[in-house]
Amino acid sequence: MTALTLSTSSAATVRADAVVVGVAKGAKGVVVAPGAEAVDKAFGGKLGAVLETLGASGAEGEVTKLPAGDGLKAPVVLAVGLGDAPAKGDAYDNEALRRAAGSAARALSGTKKAGFALPVEDAEAAAAVSEGALLGAYAFTAYRSNGNGQNAKGSKKDNAKSAPLGEAALVGGKPRDKEFKAAAERSVALAEEINRARDLINTPSNDLDPKSFAAQAQAAAKEFGLKVEVLDEKALKKGGYGGLMGVGQGSEAPPRLVRIAHTHPKADKTLALVGKGITYDSGGISLKPAGHNETMKCDMSGAAAVFAAVVAAARLGLRVNVTGWLALAENMPSGSATRPGDVLTMYSGKTVEVLNTDAEGRLVLADALTRASEETPDAIVDVATLTGAMVLALGHRTFAVMANDDAFRTSIHEIAEEVGEQSWPMPMPSELRKGMDSPVADIANMGERMGGGLVAGLFLKEFVGEGIPWAHLDIAGPAFHEGAPWGYTPKGGTGSAVRTLVRLAERTAAGDLG
């Protein structure tokens, strides 16, 4: 991953291949943001005017490169748009800084070192710039020739241009300030774990099945001192995990349930995180139509987010116990696959009539939610690419938050917004439950078509232990980005929900569970 350093140099004196400055849309044209004063001076106080001549407007994510003026050590200036300039006396929004740094880092691929002279008035702003730069520079190169992004037929020059930014130096980063230093260390750990989740999501299903995913969890547990337990298909069958076994029985790659836990000796609160880990979703016998299969390697994004969040909690030494449950299975059609109309006996003992085998995520989550509830945590959060209905409702950038407790739902929503992840609280209308009544089982895995994302949440609620605050994050929209990269969001796996889960753990450690 791109290296991060805190620099005591100014934008004029930082020794780098490029210096990044922020510009914004003002009432009378391009406004140069704080941090760029020395660069503006090198252009005779006319940097904004020069950029306007080149067509820049200061719009969010807009990137303009130009040769440096006299008096600057860096040979190139990269101006990145921050969007509308804040009112006089107000600071730039942290998410605007995060996105701008991400856009700049991506535009500087092939560059060895860049100085980021964006507004960093405090440690929180410094963290935002750091996160944006580290996440924006991400590149998934494992399957490129030589495994490092190089094309075997390309020239060394072409290969160098495609390499991620080597180092991001945060100008004004105050390396001797405890708050700035802590913010930088947190940003590195968080970004590395988000990128771990991204790598898992981007890995094709022929190389990531339940067994190999579990092996990665075991390796991380050994590296970071986590407790890990893996239930294989024999243990799952013996334990009565009918949801996991029912979904996974059509595949040659059998299911797994992974428990991975960070424990702190002084913790008095426990969070349970449950992740949907369908390493490939064909839809099973209820086969997905053409055009809907190509990205289904991403159906384990929830488990990837949970895995990354637990490791991040350990790396940050958070004073809270965080237990991750990875419900891993591959959903395939075969002679042994579960059929529509089959009835499964879940780990909870409830029976489920499977009306649609493509509604499989809720089946594996149900078993994991019941198992997590047995440990009576202070709260449970599940994360899943669960329903296309939620993509229709909220689009590709916003995840849904449902809960059995209104205050907890509000807290999760506020945390997500705080860390820059778009979310929206959704209801759980009790009248939709009747649509899942089954004539042969306790409940069906499908209900009314309209409000399908809410129906899925109501199904999961049935498997949460009595009295435990629970929230469900449906990340089907933002988990996998198929369009052009923007801000710090790459094409492919995004690592959606990791930041929200980590901040929730931090708040819980501080005694503010919500």
Side-chain angles (χ1 to χ4, degrees), residues 144-339:
R144 302 294 176 87
S145 298
N146 301 328
N148 59 1
Q150 295 183 351
N151 185 324
K153 296 180 180 179
S155 67
K156 290 184 179 180
K157 185 176 182 181
D158 290 337
N159 293 332
K161 287 182 179 180
S162 66
L165 171 65
E167 179 184 342
L170 188 63
V171 175
K174 301 180 182 179
R176 295 181 181 178
D177 184 290
K178 290 183 179 179
E179 289 189 1
F180 275 77
K181 186 178 179 181
E185 291 174 351
R186 179 187 184 277
S187 296
V188 169
L190 185 62
E192 286 183 350
E193 293 313 314
I194 292 171
N195 288 342
R196 179 198 298 273
R198 289 172 169 181
D199 283 348
L200 284 165
I201 297 163
N202 289 327
T203 300
S205 300
N206 60 321
D207 280 343
L208 188 72
D209 61 15
K211 183 178 180 180
S212 59
F213 196 141
Q216 291 211 33
Q218 289 172 314
K222 184 177 181 180
E223 181 179 358
F224 296 105
L226 301 165
K227 295 180 180 178
V228 64
E229 177 187 4
V230 178
L231 299 184
D232 63 13
E233 68 273 25
K234 293 180 180 179
L236 292 172
K237 185 176 181 179
K238 183 179 180 180
Y241 293 85
L244 276 157
M245 289 303 298
V247 172
Q249 69 188 39
S251 171
E252 292 186 3
R256 295 286 188 271
L257 178 62
V258 177
R259 180 188 186 275
I260 183 168
H262 157 65
T263 57
H264 192 285
K266 296 183 179 181
D268 56 10
K269 294 288 186 180
T270 297
L271 280 176
L273 308 178
V274 178
K276 173 187 173 184
I278 304 298
T279 57
Y280 184 76
D281 183 18
S282 68
I285 298 297
S286 305
L287 194 66
K288 291 181 183 291
H292 289 75
N293 284 290
E294 290 77 4
T295 60
M296 282 300 101
K297 65 180 182 180
C298 80
D299 212 21
M300 36 58 68
S301 297
V306 166
F307 177 25
V310 174
V311 177
R315 294 181 62 173
L316 296 172
L318 300 185
R319 188 173 173 172
V320 58
N321 298 325
V322 184
T323 304
W325 298 90
L326 316 182
L328 308 176
E330 185 176 70
N331 188 26
M332 296 292 284
S334 73
S336 61
T338 294
R339 297 155 292 239

Side-chain angles (χ1 to χ4, degrees), residues 21 35 67 82 87 106 152 155 196 320 340 344 366 377 383 393 398 415 431 464:
V21 298
L82 292 163
R106 187 172 54 257
S155 67
R196 179 198 298 273
V320 58
L344 304 177
V383 188
T398 304
I415 287 170
E431 65 271 16
V464 178

Side-chain angles (χ1 to χ4, degrees), residues 216-477:
Q216 291 211 33
Q218 289 172 314
K222 184 177 181 180
E223 181 179 358
F224 296 105
L226 301 165
K227 295 180 180 178
V228 64
E229 177 187 4
V230 178
L231 299 184
D232 63 13
E233 68 273 25
K234 293 180 180 179
L236 292 172
K237 185 176 181 179
K238 183 179 180 180
Y241 293 85
L244 276 157
M245 289 303 298
V247 172
Q249 69 188 39
S251 171
E252 292 186 3
R256 295 286 188 271
L257 178 62
V258 177
R259 180 188 186 275
I260 183 168
H262 157 65
T263 57
H264 192 285
K266 296 183 179 181
D268 56 10
K269 294 288 186 180
T270 297
L271 280 176
L273 308 178
V274 178
K276 173 187 173 184
I278 304 298
T279 57
Y280 184 76
D281 183 18
S282 68
I285 298 297
S286 305
L287 194 66
K288 291 181 183 291
H292 289 75
N293 284 290
E294 290 77 4
T295 60
M296 282 300 101
K297 65 180 182 180
C298 80
D299 212 21
M300 36 58 68
S301 297
V306 166
F307 177 25
V310 174
V311 177
R315 294 181 62 173
L316 296 172
L318 300 185
R319 188 173 173 172
V320 58
N321 298 325
V322 184
T323 304
W325 298 90
L326 316 182
L328 308 176
E330 185 176 70
N331 188 26
M332 296 292 284
S334 73
S336 61
T338 294
R339 297 155 292 239
D342 285 358
V343 174
L344 304 177
T345 300
M346 311 297 283
Y347 179 69
S348 68
K350 290 184 179 181
T351 55
V352 176
E353 183 183 13
V354 180
L355 298 180
N356 188 326
T357 64
D358 196 23
E360 86 299 330
R362 65 198 71 181
L363 298 176
V364 300
L365 286 173
D367 276 353
L369 285 167
T370 302
R371 180 65 185 86
S373 296
E374 289 182 341
E375 298 186 357
T376 59
D378 294 286
I380 299 175
V381 179
D382 77 70
V383 188
T385 47
L386 205 60
T387 65
M390 206 53 72
V391 183
L392 292 174
L394 299 178
H396 291 286
R397 295 191 181 185
T398 304
F399 63 72
V401 184
M402 286 171 264
N404 62 1
D405 180 275
D406 289 346
F408 191 44
R409 180 186 63 189
T410 298
S411 182
I412 297 290
H413 171 57
E414 290 175 348
I415 287 170
E417 296 297 306
E418 176 188 338
V419 300
E421 295 199 294
Q422 294 174 218
S423 71
W424 196 250
M426 300 294 282
M428 298 183 71
S430 58
E431 65 271 16
L432 291 177
R433 169 61 182 85
K434 184 172 178 58
M436 289 184 284
D437 285 349
S438 166
V440 298
D442 295 328
I443 190 173
N445 77 328
M446 293 290 290
E448 294 183 29
R449 180 168 176 265
M450 299 304 172
L454 310 182
V455 170
L458 285 166
F459 179 91
L460 295 178
K461 183 182 177 183
E462 297 271 329
F463 298 88
V464 178
E466 188 71 26
I468 302 175
W470 157 79
H472 161 57
L473 312 186
D474 190 334
I475 61 170

